[in-house]
Amino acid sequence: MHFKDYAVQQGEPAALKCPILQHYHLNFNMASNLSLHLTWYKNDSKNEINGVDSRIQAQEDLLWFLPATMDDSGYYACVLRNSSFCIEVAISLTVVKSNDVALQDIAYRQYIFTLTSGYINCPDLNDFITNDRDLDLRWYKESVPLPQLSKKFEYVVGSNKLNINDVSPADRGFYTCELRFTHRGKRYNITRVIQLQTIDQEKRSHPVIVYPNHKTIEAVLGSKLIIPCKVFTGFGRHSGTVVWWLANNTLVDRNSFHDSRVTEGEFQKITENGRNYIVVQLIFVETREEDFKTDFKCIAKNEYGSQVLPTQLRKAASAFSWYTVVVPAASICLIVGVLCLYKCRKSRAQKDYIQAKL
């Protein structure tokens, strides 16, 4: 199953995609033919979101915000059910004001090595375009428009990429890509903020931990929790990098820590836009008080170097009985071995639904 957090600027469109159909290799029509119905709710509300002409619209497996406002921030549940089966997944939406501090919090982190030519990409646009010809992007660095063709920067026509030639440390910083989007005759601007970090050539093979990117992570007491450690390993073949978790300087293996309540997930190798990553998840079957007093560390190491990233849990309130931490402001989707799918709340239907397991 693909978990994702969404973040958008106030006044811009947002489209939340329910991951359930994709996981079961279904489209909306196939689900309808199987008498499966998809519905959307916000937080713990019993009121279904089904507006067609309203600002918030449920259209097949997408929940549209045209546009998003600050009050839209929160969790949204997509529910797939029939008479005897029900799956519910929550998706987070964060709406921020258009100021430098807020935009840095939702920036997509991308990496390029110095002394080479590379590119950055404008992520998460698929739901706003029908084909690549619609990709008419404008690029900015630190709010200054970039020319479409220069010795340093080059737009790639029909692509979401911006080429950067002869990369140097001076090229790091915040870039913004802008797409014009028209819906029912009304035009919107869709922007994505990318934080570019450059890596010196001598550290080309060093592992770089890109998430967690905060020293504290919010979690709900009693909830299920997944924290992925995502490590950038370069552009070529996957290196011999190893990644693992520590809890109070003790190894978190798959069987021993806290009576198997906290375990490590599978070692995953993924590639995004030509960039290689390794992901190892820290999985809490249930968060308890002791977890908020535990020092967790993600460690990445290969023959060229290592990096250690400490993190701690911080209590948070939530309307849902589970919580999944995913890479925010990132384009990756993490495939987990055991999906956090749960019984739908009986208050929404007077039937006993089975728990869905994969």
Side-chain angles (χ1 to χ4, degrees):
M1 178 61 70
H2 301 276
F3 284 102
K4 190 167 186 176
D5 283 352
Y6 290 80
V8 65
Q9 293 185 49
Q10 181 182 16
E12 294 191 3
L16 310 189
K17 192 175 187 69
C18 182
I20 301 174
L21 295 183
Q22 184 178 359
H23 176 76
Y24 285 105
H25 305 289
L26 297 172
N27 59 37
F28 190 79
N29 290 333
M30 293 168 64
S32 298
N33 292 336
L34 294 172
S35 299
L36 291 168
H37 302 285
L38 182 67
T39 51
W40 288 89
Y41 302 86
K42 181 177 182 181
N43 293 336
D44 206 23
S45 171
K46 299 178 183 179
N47 298 320
E48 177 185 346
I49 300 173
N50 55 11
V52 176
D53 297 319
S54 59
R55 184 180 59 83
I56 303 177
Q57 305 174 15
Q59 299 179 12
E60 298 186 351
D61 61 344
L62 290 172
L63 184 64
W64 288 89
F65 298 79
L66 298 162
T69 68
M70 298 295 292
D71 292 337
D72 294 329
S73 292
Y75 285 91
Y76 293 82
C78 62
V79 182
L80 185 69
R81 63 154 60 91
N82 61 17
S83 60
S84 60
F85 180 78
C86 182
I87 302 174
E88 175 179 323
V89 174
I91 302 170
S92 170
L93 173 65
T94 302
V95 183
V96 301
K97 295 181 179 179
S98 298
N99 59 64
D100 292 341
V101 175
L103 294 181
Q104 291 178 18
D105 289 338
I106 66 171
Y108 296 73
R109 291 189 176 185
Q110 298 185 21
Y111 300 83
I112 301 180
F113 293 109
T114 59
L115 305 180
T116 63
S117 294
Y119 64 86
I120 57 177
N121 66 288
C122 188
D124 292 344
L125 298 178
N126 290 340
D127 295 321
F128 301 96
I129 60 174
T130 54
N131 56 64
D132 289 343
R133 290 191 300 271
D134 296 331
L135 277 170
D136 183 16
L137 296 176
R138 296 291 179 268
W139 286 91
Y140 305 81
K141 183 185 180 186
E142 314 294 355
S143 302
V144 177
L146 297 178
Q148 293 197 14
L149 181 62
S150 67
K151 290 183 179 180
K152 171 60 71 173
F153 301 105
E154 180 182 356
Y155 287 42
V156 182
V157 179
S159 167
N160 67 340
K161 296 179 181 178
L162 175 71
N163 286 340
I164 304 177
N165 298 315
D166 299 324
V167 177
S168 71
D171 295 320
R172 65 179 58 148
F174 290 89
Y175 292 75
T176 301
C177 53
E178 182 181 87
L179 173 71
R180 293 182 179 179
F181 172 67
T182 302
H183 180 80
R184 295 185 178 180
K186 188 172 182 179
R187 300 187 67 177
Y188 301 91
N189 285 334
I190 297 170
T191 59
R192 302 287 184 259
V193 179
I194 297 101
Q195 182 181 9
L196 175 62
Q197 297 184 3
T198 60
I199 302 175
D200 294 338
Q201 276 290 341
E202 57 267 24
K203 296 182 179 180
R204 187 178 183 91
S205 299
H206 288 216
V208 179
I209 300 175
V210 300
Y211 190 83
N213 56 0
H214 297 288
K215 292 183 179 180
T216 59
I217 292 176
E218 289 190 344
V220 179
L221 182 64
S223 68
K224 294 176 173 62
L225 177 68
I226 299 174
I227 306 174
C229 182
K230 181 185 178 185
V231 182
F232 173 65
T233 59
F235 291 88
R237 293 183 301 173
H238 281 282
S239 66
T241 302
V242 292
V243 179
W244 69 95
W245 282 92
L246 294 179
N248 288 338
N249 295 319
T250 300
L251 283 172
V252 178
D253 58 32
R254 295 176 187 169
N255 297 303
S256 62
F257 188 72
H258 286 185
D259 299 324
S260 299
R261 183 179 57 81
V262 183
T263 61
E264 273 189 6
E266 297 291 334
F267 189 89
Q268 303 174 51
K269 295 181 178 181
I270 61 176
T271 301
E272 301 169 354
N273 300 305
R275 297 170 170 88
N276 294 324
Y277 299 90
I278 291 172
V279 177
V280 175
Q281 297 170 336
L282 184 64
I283 303 172
F284 298 74
V285 175
E286 178 187 11
T287 53
R288 297 179 182 173
E289 286 286 352
E290 60 200 89
D291 299 328
F292 298 95
K293 303 174 183 177
T294 301
D295 294 321
F296 295 98
K297 295 177 182 177
C298 175
I299 301 177
K301 184 176 182 179
N302 61 21
E303 60 181 307
Y304 302 100
S306 63
Q307 186 178 6
V308 179
L309 196 150
T311 189
Q312 285 190 315
L313 300 187
R314 181 180 62 198
K315 287 185 181 179
S318 174
F320 290 101
S321 60
W322 58 274
Y323 190 73
T324 305
V325 175
V326 299
V327 181
S331 58
I332 80 164
C333 295
L334 301 177
I335 303 175
V336 299
V338 180
L339 176 62
C340 302
L341 296 180
Y342 304 92
K343 294 181 182 178
C344 290
R345 291 181 286 278
K346 291 184 180 180
S347 60
R348 290 188 179 164
Q350 297 303 317
K351 295 183 180 180
D352 293 328
Y353 291 99
I354 64 171
Q355 179 172 350
K357 295 182 179 179
L358 302 180

